[in-house]
Amino acid sequence: MSKPHPARHGGLPHQVRIIGGQWRRTLLPVADRPGLRPTPDRVRETLFNWLGQDMHGWRCVDAFAGSGALGLEAASRGAAQVLLVEQDAALARQLQALKDRLQAQTVTVRRGDGVSALAACAGGSVDLVLLDPPFDAQALFAPALAAAARAVCADGFVYLEAPVAWDAAALAEVGLAPHRHLKAGAVHAHLLVPLRAACA
């Protein structure tokens, strides 16, 4: 007899909830995939407290979308454009089904590589980049941060989840500076700003 799966972050087994906005309390399915680790409710709540609850007009890229919890949270709170990028074909289909179910007209789902998607963005064209790569894919972190630093506008933000804290010196090498930091269990949540803005 198989054991029941443990409940995931603040929701039913294999589900997370959108916390705020027009789709508040909507359940999002979480597939069993290696490295898929939805952002805990407490961390998402803190992030959107840092950013402010009203995101009307914001342009966002969720570069490693997974369950879509981060990007859909932004869309729920009024973001004008949200690009969900996911390399796994099954997860991308699940995200597209969610978009259709929510009738989320401001959301675009793209199957592909998150770093390449950020590199394809015009410089300074994004207000918020959301980075939540698989924690075992350490080689992705620096290229993703550098691509995000180029894509984000001068007064924009980059959000990073990582298994370790990134200090100011390491962030400066990729063009970013620390703004806020939270540790929740094994997760280090960073809100970062472009170095050019931090030095202004």
Side-chain angles (χ1 to χ4, degrees), residues 27 37 64 70 72 90 93-94 100 107 112 135-136 140 149 170 175 185-187 191 198:
L27 291 169
R37 175 195 34 75
F64 302 91
L70 285 170
L72 290 171
R93 287 193 297 271
Q94 181 175 282
D100 295 343
V107 173
F135 277 7
D136 59 357
L140 280 176
V187 174
L191 189 62

Side-chain angles (χ1 to χ4, degrees), residues 163-194:
V164 296
W166 280 63
D167 63 22
L171 289 167
E173 293 182 8
V174 293
L176 295 165
H179 184 62
R180 297 277 189 274
H181 175 261
L182 167 72
K183 185 176 187 300
V187 174
H188 286 267
H190 309 70
L191 189 62
L192 312 171
V193 294

Side-chain angles (χ1 to χ4, degrees), residues 10-163:
L12 300 172
H14 299 287
Q15 293 178 316
V16 293
R17 291 180 189 273
I18 294 178
I19 296 168
Q22 64 176 321
W23 302 317
R24 185 180 179 192
R25 300 189 183 93
T26 297
L27 291 169
L28 307 178
V30 177
D32 278 318
R33 287 288 189 280
L36 182 59
R37 175 195 34 75
T39 302
D41 287 359
R42 174 194 163 198
V43 175
R44 271 187 294 133
E45 186 169 16
T46 299
L47 169 62
F48 287 95
N49 285 338
W50 287 342
L51 294 170
Q53 301 299 323
D54 184 357
M55 302 191 71
H56 280 83
W58 288 47
R59 300 155 297 174
C60 308
V61 177
D62 188 349
F64 302 91
S67 69
L70 285 170
L72 290 171
E73 191 79 51
S76 181
R77 295 166 189 260
Q81 299 172 22
V82 177
L83 174 61
L84 302 178
V85 184
E86 175 51 53
Q87 194 151 32
D88 184 287
L91 291 177
R93 287 193 297 271
Q94 181 175 282
L95 290 170
Q96 184 63 48
L98 272 171
K99 167 189 158 66
D100 295 343
R101 176 163 64 89
L102 294 170
Q103 299 181 350
Q105 296 182 3
T106 62
V107 173
T108 301
V109 176
R110 182 181 301 165
R111 185 187 171 198
D113 173 66
V115 177
S116 298
L118 287 170
C121 294
S125 65
V126 180
D127 297 293
L128 174 64
V129 177
L130 300 159
L131 299 177
D132 185 11
F135 277 7
D136 59 357
Q138 290 297 305
L140 280 176
F141 281 79
L145 285 164
R150 182 190 155 279
V152 76
C153 61
D155 59 350
F157 297 96
V158 175
Y159 172 71
L160 170 69
E161 279 185 33

